[in-house]
Amino acid sequence: AIAERMGVPRTSILIENRSTNTGENVRLTRQLLAEHGLDPESFILVQKPYMERRSFATFRKVWPEKRVIVTSPQVSFDDYLNKYSNDTLSADDVVSIMVGDLQRVKVYAESGFQIPQEIPGDVWAAFESALTAMESAGADGRTVGLAIARDIAEDLRTTVAGLYLIPAFRRYSCMKSVVAMSLCPRLARR
């Protein structure tokens, strides 16, 4: 719909709608283009802001000989929710998806789904330190993790535009209160 509104004829648009993940999307797009006798040298991927790194890394793994640039809407989190987020996802859903992305950058590369990307040592050390503290707290791990996250978010509130909050084992819902209370007060009202 966006391409058509910008003047691209419908007959010039190919849609890959069978994939269930980014790697499949690249493979099936490659196949679709080949079926139409097309072999572009470069690509511009338009993705969600929090998916740029993984989209780039996955594309480079699956189709390494092509040039790729990844972009996304350059908007605030609130604007993203209001203008670009899928209507079926709540703000909490979007936060739950976002907070696991740093861990996936590392784990997906280790699993062979994408090329490795540098994660600064201090960033990963902080992630592991928080994870260790939470695991050591046993049944109180969630409370410890939330306290760590709130302290970090509060300390950084005036100096950063955003944070990745990564709980272990896909337990993203516990981070919602940190984001709502510390970073995005509007989330608490959604």
Side-chain angles (χ1 to χ4, degrees):
I2 294 171
E4 288 181 77
R5 285 195 307 266
M6 296 182 79
V8 178
R10 183 179 287 270
T11 56
S12 296
I13 298 173
L14 299 175
I15 298 174
E16 187 291 294
N17 59 5
R18 297 181 297 142
S19 59
T20 59
N21 61 57
T22 307
E24 274 186 0
N25 183 238
V26 176
R27 280 190 292 280
L28 293 173
T29 296
R30 186 178 191 170
Q31 179 183 338
L32 180 64
L33 290 170
E35 289 168 0
H36 285 83
L38 300 171
D39 187 23
E41 290 301 314
S42 60
F43 293 81
I44 298 173
L45 307 181
V46 180
Q47 186 54 278
K48 301 168 193 78
Y50 55 87
M51 284 281 298
E52 283 189 29
R53 286 185 70 182
R54 289 197 307 111
S55 296
F56 173 83
T58 302
F59 189 97
R60 297 293 299 154
K61 177 71 177 186
V62 176
W63 211 347
E65 66 274 16
K66 300 297 181 177
R67 288 187 313 251
V68 62
I69 296 170
V70 184
T71 189
S72 65
Q74 301 300 301
V75 297
S76 70
F77 184 73
D78 284 338
D79 285 344
Y80 175 78
L81 289 175
N82 294 324
K83 296 178 184 175
Y84 300 100
S85 181
N86 186 317
D87 290 338
T88 63
L89 297 175
S90 70
D92 286 349
D93 293 332
V94 174
V95 170
S96 294
I97 293 166
M98 288 174 57
V99 296
D101 223 51
L102 175 63
Q103 187 176 33
R104 288 188 291 271
V105 165
K106 183 176 176 69
V107 171
Y108 285 10
E110 291 169 351
S111 300
F113 299 133
Q114 62 189 36
I115 63 168
Q117 295 184 77
E118 182 179 352
I119 298 172
D122 56 341
V123 171
W124 195 252
F127 166 75
E128 289 182 323
S129 175
L131 182 60
T132 298
M134 291 170 60
E135 289 173 343
S136 297
D140 293 325
R142 180 172 187 238
T143 302
V144 168
L146 288 171
I148 292 169
R150 282 190 193 107
D151 289 347
I152 292 169
E154 192 58 38
D155 288 348
L156 296 175
R157 181 181 224 170
T158 61
T159 59
V160 299
L163 296 173
Y164 283 113
L165 303 174
I166 316 296
F169 309 110
R170 302 178 57 108
R171 287 180 255 170
Y172 308 129
S173 61
C174 66
M175 292 294 116
K176 294 174 194 173
S177 67
V178 174
V179 174
M181 293 172 13
S182 300
L183 300 176
C184 302
R186 288 188 56 196
L187 284 180
R189 296 191 300 267
R190 285 183 172 263

